[in-house]
Amino acid sequence: MLYLTSAVLGAALCCFAYLGLRARWVDGSLDDYVTARNSQTASTLGLSFLASGMGAWILFAPPEIGAFVGPLALAGYALGSALPFIVLGLYGPKIRRALPEGRSIAEFAEACYGLGVKRWVTLVSIGYMACFLAAELTAIGAITALLSDVPPALVIIGVALTTLVYTAVGGLRASLATDRWQAWLLLVLLLVVGGAVLWRLPSLPSGVALPAIPVASALSVALTLMIAVTAANLFHQGYWQRVWAAQDNQSLGRGAWLGGGMTVVVVMLIGGLGMLAAMSGVALGEPPMPFFALLTEAPAWLTLPALVLAVTLVASSVDTLQNGIASLLAARSEQRGVSLTTARWVTIALMIPVVAIALQGLSVLRLFLIADLLCAAIVVPVLLGLWKRMTPLAAVGGGVAGLLGAILPGWVSQGSFMAGVVAASFPGSIPTLGPFLGALITSTLVSVLLAYLTLAIRKDDHDSNHYYDS
């Protein structure tokens, strides 16, 4: 079984590599490598948003939320997973008009605010994506150890190297080409694995109720997840690349809604399996993993398609993240006169610590929450860049205020600044609404206030100068 599993997983990775290498970028230019500008249809973008947004996390988080928190919080999580696509679908046409030759969120920030904010946004984006990469590779290692005798390190390194080869060579077009196939494959495998699990699911006890916590608590969890996931994923450069890859604004809008709709359905379905696991009385394990607990009740042959599903999920998100990091570095390299080859090598070098962290088998949930909170603190000031009254001072001030706002709820409730800092670092890896809501509201209010104050000061200065001139 060890050799069969290794061969099947190796074959899947080789197929992804073949598809990616076959779709090399067209004219050899940096622009086509980074954006595949104006080339993608709505259906291609929709499948790409689905594949790049899905990862091994959907086998862990949605089933656990469904099993322990209930359908309301699960719906919030599903909506939060889809909202970044929908926001870019609605906001993307304005971005394309304002920055027709744009290539990244960092260039958008520079066009709106200048070089200082661009560097800040670049750092946040790369840090978030590196954390996402480590989490995905850690997850595939854990799943491999759980479902097979294949050494987890072999699969972690195999996925990282395979995706790195075809994204380094083919750029965004390689990622988009594999996304199409990976999206269909993961949908088929989800139906196969989910159907087989449901077929062997123990009968539900009579009178059993859906898992649920009090409505207020469920709404709090749902809102927390929506803010965290949406804010963080808006700094996912892989999604921003697809804004300019779309053939036109209509293709972008339809693709975003298609990808968002499919994402909601997938998250709700797999989270529903977690609810059914809890309702059936199956032992969920320690730590609880409802989806994999269901596999223990399923036929032994199902572990192989489940592993292929996990590898597909991880590869589809990892190649997008790698290409997103490469695009940010490549655009920066072009301005400094450094070759695209150098940018690729920097991306490869970045993968070394990412893989090293993944090989440790550490939990990255707390790091994810901290990264999400940092993104939530600055996402509104960045997106307000298209508002004519916004200034660099308002953007930076709003971002700093957002960071302080994240600390404020714990500071006020516990009467200590350090207690607020600790609460904002999510001890116990438990997502709480206070820091996210504080970051979002404070950054928005301060950004808008500073924008109006700056405008008023400029007007007063203009009026004074006009008075003296006359």
Side-chain angles (χ1 to χ4, degrees):
M1 189 66 179
L2 170 63
Y3 296 109
L4 175 62
T5 303
S6 301
V8 170
L9 296 182
L13 291 174
C14 286
C15 287
F16 299 153
Y18 170 73
L19 292 169
L21 291 171
R22 198 178 66 170
R24 297 183 64 175
W25 79 106
V26 175
D27 57 12
S29 68
L30 174 62
D31 185 70
D32 192 72
Y33 179 87
V34 170
T35 65
R37 192 177 303 279
N38 301 330
S39 64
Q40 304 300 308
T41 63
S43 60
T44 300
L45 286 173
L47 291 171
S48 181
F49 277 129
L50 173 67
S52 58
M54 295 293 97
W57 61 269
I58 72 166
L59 303 180
F60 291 93
E64 188 171 344
I65 291 171
F68 293 103
V69 188
L72 191 58
L74 178 61
Y77 195 48
L79 186 58
S81 301
L83 269 179
F85 312 144
I86 297 170
V87 169
L88 287 177
L90 296 172
Y91 204 61
K94 295 181 181 179
I95 296 171
R96 285 167 61 99
R97 284 194 296 270
L99 207 63
E101 299 301 316
R103 290 182 293 212
S104 70
I105 183 177
E107 289 183 7
F108 172 76
E110 182 182 24
C112 295
Y113 300 119
L115 189 59
V117 178
K118 175 189 177 181
R119 290 172 176 165
W120 183 27
V121 169
T122 299
L123 182 63
V124 172
S125 182
I126 290 178
Y128 169 69
M129 289 190 289
C131 181
F132 200 156
L133 276 169
E136 285 296 304
L137 293 174
T138 299
I140 192 57
I143 293 170
T144 302
L146 194 65
L147 298 181
S148 75
D149 295 325
V150 178
L154 185 65
V155 180
I156 289 173
I157 295 172
V159 171
L161 286 179
T162 302
T163 53
L164 195 56
V165 165
Y166 67 76
T167 54
V169 172
L172 181 59
R173 288 185 184 271
S175 178
L176 290 165
T178 55
D179 280 350
R180 288 196 299 270
W181 293 94
Q182 288 163 342
W184 288 116
L185 181 58
L186 72 87
L187 288 172
V188 170
L189 288 172
L190 277 173
L191 289 174
V192 170
V193 175
V197 162
L198 287 175
W199 184 260
R200 297 294 296 268
L201 189 71
S203 299
L204 299 181
S206 59
V208 67
L210 284 171
I213 61 175
V215 173
S217 299
L219 284 173
S220 175
V221 173
L223 187 56
T224 301
L225 293 170
M226 286 174 62
I227 295 172
V229 176
T230 303
N233 281 339
L234 285 174
F235 284 88
H236 192 320
Q237 166 63 8
Y239 302 155
W240 280 75
Q241 287 175 283
R242 285 151 178 79
V243 169
W244 290 284
Q247 283 182 343
D248 49 40
N249 292 339
Q250 191 176 45
S251 297
L252 174 60
R254 289 179 176 176
W257 280 101
L258 176 62
M262 290 191 294
T263 297
V264 169
V265 172
V266 169
V267 173
M268 288 299 293
L269 285 176
I270 200 159
L273 290 177
M275 285 192 286
L276 290 174
M279 294 164 66
S280 68
V282 171
L284 301 183
E286 185 59 44
M289 291 184 288
F291 179 81
F292 297 100
L294 288 173
L295 288 179
T296 62
E297 305 292 328
W301 62 264
L302 198 61
T303 58
L304 192 54
L307 266 174
V308 176
L309 168 63
V311 167
T312 303
L313 288 166
V314 173
S316 64
S317 58
V318 165
D319 66 17
T320 301
L321 290 159
Q322 288 171 335
N323 191 256
I325 291 173
S327 71
L328 284 173
L329 295 172
R332 186 171 177 81
S333 297
E334 183 187 44
Q335 293 177 350
R336 294 186 172 188
V338 181
S339 68
L340 177 58
T341 302
T342 303
R344 288 169 171 160
W345 280 110
V346 173
T347 306
I348 292 171
L350 181 65
M351 286 301 297
I352 295 174
V354 167
V355 170
I357 292 171
L359 290 173
Q360 305 305 310
L362 303 174
S363 171
V364 295
L365 179 56
R366 189 175 185 184
L367 291 175
F368 244 139
L369 289 170
I370 294 172
D372 289 351
L373 184 59
L374 176 61
C375 294
I378 68 174
V379 65
V380 172
V382 170
L383 291 181
L384 282 175
L386 290 179
W387 186 33
K388 293 181 180 180
R389 291 180 175 175
M390 277 297 288
T391 64
L393 175 62
V396 173
V400 172
L403 295 175
L404 293 174
I407 299 169
L408 193 60
W411 188 358
V412 171
S413 64
Q414 301 184 44
S416 165
F417 175 79
M418 286 310 299
V421 173
V422 171
S425 68
F426 305 101
S429 301
I430 299 172
T432 51
L433 180 60
F436 284 103
L437 209 54
L440 205 61
I441 292 174
T442 308
S443 64
T444 303
L445 291 177
V446 172
S447 293
V448 173
L449 180 62
L450 286 177
Y452 276 110
L453 285 176
T454 304
L455 181 67
I457 291 171
R458 285 179 176 176
K459 184 178 179 181
D460 288 342
D461 289 342
H462 177 270
D463 291 343
S464 298
N465 290 335
H466 180 71
Y467 172 78
Y468 287 116
D469 289 341
S470 61

